[in-house]
Amino acid sequence: MKRQYWLLKSEPTTFSIDDLLNAPSQRTGWDGVRNYQARNMMRDEMNVGDFAFFYHSNTQTPAIVGLVEIVKAAYPDPTQFDIHSDYYDPKATSEHPRWFQVDVQFKEKFNTIISLERMKTIPALSEMPLVRKGNRLSVMPVTTFEFTTIMDLV
DNA sequence: GCCAACGTTGGC
DNA sequence: GCCAACGTTGGC
């Protein structure tokens, strides 16, 4: 199957690339996604073997900071059932889970981070939802062209 | 099913 | 901390 590319946003104060670097097996469940469009992409389109950029949002310098690989396809996000979790969803049941996550594996932490500011100046990246004002999607597709363009900047 | 009110995201 | 964008909720 042809490898697809994605971008995953995370607030570094919640979960950073270093948290992933230091995680057991450098692997984690990408939990907490609570947006239907983002969920649908994870659940319906992401495949094991796909690559995703790790993006730090809501921070001083928003930027792509690394690369991860999807190592487990979508399954119910356990935090939706955890009453003590910030991500608890009272309307979700194990019979009818509402939210899904994938597992990601650390691949690379970039020596050069690719800031949002820089990406906005690159014409080849102008179609990315990321660089458009007001975009809030936390999971978004990246084209092969955009992927190689960004990897050439690293 | 419309749409106003409200809440959240996330850059700045 | 502000606020634009936009998703969600709930009254009707």
Side-chain angles (χ1 to χ4, degrees), chain A residues 56-121:
Chain A
H56 281 173
S57 66
N58 201 14
T59 187
Q60 190 168 9
T61 306
I64 290 173
V65 294
L67 188 67
V68 301
E69 179 172 353
I70 310 304
V71 290
K72 184 175 178 182
Y75 61 101
D77 177 346
T79 63
Q80 70 192 305
F81 309 125
D82 177 1
I83 197 161
H84 301 298
S85 169
D86 287 345
Y87 301 123
Y88 176 66
D89 184 343
K91 292 177 183 168
T93 65
S94 50
E95 292 77 21
H96 297 284
R98 176 177 291 203
W99 305 111
F100 290 79
Q101 67 182 34
V102 296
D103 284 357
V104 304
Q105 171 84 50
F106 176 85
K107 284 204 67 78
E108 196 176 343
K109 179 179 173 180
F110 297 150
N111 293 320
T112 313
I113 65 167
I114 313 300
S115 69
L116 176 62
E117 187 183 24
R118 184 170 176 205
M119 285 190 280
K120 282 180 171 174
T121 68

Side-chain angles (χ1 to χ4, degrees), chain A residues 18-154:
Chain A
D18 288 324
D19 291 330
L20 180 60
L21 194 54
N22 296 321
S25 306
Q26 300 187 321
R27 179 180 165 137
T28 191
W30 200 260
D31 62 16
V33 172
R34 294 293 180 270
N35 169 283
Y36 289 105
Q37 241 186 305
R39 177 204 67 182
N40 292 348
M41 282 188 278
M42 283 202 303
R43 187 190 59 190
D44 304 334
E45 296 177 48
M46 261 186 205
N47 298 306
V48 169
D50 287 358
F51 285 171
F53 288 121
F54 195 119
Y55 179 84
H56 281 173
S57 66
N58 201 14
T59 187
Q60 190 168 9
T61 306
I64 290 173
V65 294
L67 188 67
V68 301
E69 179 172 353
I70 310 304
V71 290
K72 184 175 178 182
Y75 61 101
D77 177 346
T79 63
Q80 70 192 305
F81 309 125
D82 177 1
I83 197 161
H84 301 298
S85 169
D86 287 345
Y87 301 123
Y88 176 66
D89 184 343
K91 292 177 183 168
T93 65
S94 50
E95 292 77 21
H96 297 284
R98 176 177 291 203
W99 305 111
F100 290 79
Q101 67 182 34
V102 296
D103 284 357
V104 304
Q105 171 84 50
F106 176 85
K107 284 204 67 78
E108 196 176 343
K109 179 179 173 180
F110 297 150
N111 293 320
T112 313
I113 65 167
I114 313 300
S115 69
L116 176 62
E117 187 183 24
R118 184 170 176 205
M119 285 190 280
K120 282 180 171 174
T121 68
I122 297 170
L125 303 179
S126 63
E127 296 300 312
M128 290 184 79
L130 186 71
V131 304
R132 301 225 196 89
K133 190 175 181 181
N135 172 71
R136 300 182 339 194
L137 260 190
S138 60
V139 176
M140 68 182 76
V142 172
T143 67
T144 304
F145 175 58
E146 289 159 350
F147 180 81
T148 54
T149 300
I150 291 165
M151 289 305 286
D152 284 345
L153 301 173
V154 174

